[in-house]
Amino acid sequence: MEFERDPNDPARKELPPLLKLALELGPLAVFFLFNARGEQIVQLFPALQSLGKPIFLATAAFMVAITISLAVSYWLTRRLPIMPMVTGVVVLVFGALTLWLHDDLFIKLKPTIVNCLFGAVLLGGLVFEKSFLGYVFDSAFKLSEEGWRKLTFRWGIFFFVLAAINEIVWRNFSTDFWVSFKVFGMMPITLAFTLTQLPLIQRYALMDEAKED
């Protein structure tokens, strides 16, 4: 198995933006749905009752969904996406611990661990002159190398901020509130941050070859 190619590699196979977004956010939507409708789902499928509270059912569904997402992505591109792969490994490890020990602490720690990993990978990659953020956003826009470096640095810091926010929320609020905030709180925060980066993106955007002709 091979990982996806560099963002500016002409041989890189790209997924349609909407499909890529669905593959990355679909497992999170499944997690929220199974936590919010856990009791109704157990009524339809009594065998799932052995998993316990909705949060554990949601964790199991999350693990299955993210595995399917990675498998579909690999089937379409014949390469593993780096950032989703990191998320998937952490989800499977911490999800397994959650179900095995029957303690939702581990799944609550998952966003903290993932965001810290992403932040460390992005900032660490810059030390070796690698802008890993391009692997995530390459299908959305094309930037110069300097643009990717600057954007990668900003996102690296932002991921550590998200990790801190997750710690504050799960330590001070209920599990249901944490799940809702994970879906409906983190996404708007991330979207707002993304919008603030538009000036930088426009400044370093590469002209489309078709337009140049």
Side-chain angles (χ1 to χ4, degrees):
M1 290 187 181
E2 296 182 82
F3 288 103
E4 56 189 330
R5 297 179 183 272
D6 290 338
N8 292 330
D9 189 331
R12 179 180 173 87
K13 185 175 182 180
E14 300 178 357
L15 293 175
L18 289 180
L19 176 58
K20 186 173 183 178
L21 186 65
L23 289 174
E24 292 177 357
L25 298 184
L28 188 60
V30 169
F31 180 68
F32 173 77
L33 176 65
F34 272 70
N35 184 75
R37 297 287 181 264
E39 294 180 359
Q40 293 92 324
I41 293 173
V42 167
Q43 290 178 356
L44 292 173
F45 304 97
L48 297 177
Q49 190 172 3
S50 60
L51 290 173
K53 295 188 298 184
I55 185 63
F56 300 117
L57 177 62
T59 297
F62 194 22
M63 294 169 67
V64 172
I66 205 162
T67 301
I68 293 174
S69 174
L70 288 171
V72 170
S73 182
Y74 179 78
W75 178 68
L76 292 173
T77 65
R78 295 304 172 187
R79 290 179 179 271
L80 291 172
I82 294 178
M83 302 298 265
M85 185 66 185
V86 172
T87 301
V89 170
V90 176
V91 167
L92 293 177
V93 171
F94 279 75
L97 287 172
T98 298
L99 298 177
W100 181 36
L101 300 176
H102 224 61
D103 188 343
D104 58 16
L105 169 65
F106 297 101
I107 202 64
K108 290 177 179 177
L109 285 174
K110 190 273 299 179
T112 300
I113 301 299
V114 167
N115 285 317
C116 284
L117 277 174
F118 283 172
V121 167
L122 292 182
L123 297 181
L126 292 178
V127 175
F128 298 97
E129 299 184 352
K130 295 287 288 184
S131 302
F132 291 122
L133 193 69
Y135 291 96
V136 181
F137 291 131
D138 67 289
S139 61
F141 43 79
K142 303 294 183 182
L143 300 181
S144 65
E145 292 299 327
E146 183 180 0
W148 281 126
R149 283 196 300 271
K150 290 185 176 181
L151 193 62
T152 296
F153 176 78
R154 295 183 183 186
W155 272 93
I157 299 298
F158 179 65
F159 278 123
F160 282 110
V161 172
L162 288 180
I165 292 174
N166 182 69
E167 285 296 297
I168 291 172
V169 173
W170 82 258
R171 291 177 184 275
N172 293 280
F173 298 92
S174 68
T175 296
D176 286 342
F177 181 89
W178 171 78
V179 172
S180 296
F181 183 81
K182 178 177 168 61
V183 179
F184 301 110
M186 288 296 196
M187 289 302 297
I189 291 173
T190 303
L191 177 59
F193 173 78
T194 302
L195 292 176
T196 65
Q197 304 310 303
L198 289 180
L200 183 149
I201 292 171
Q202 293 172 346
R203 189 180 313 126
Y204 292 98
L206 296 176
M207 294 296 292
D208 186 59
E209 292 181 3
K211 292 180 180 178
E212 290 179 352
D213 294 336

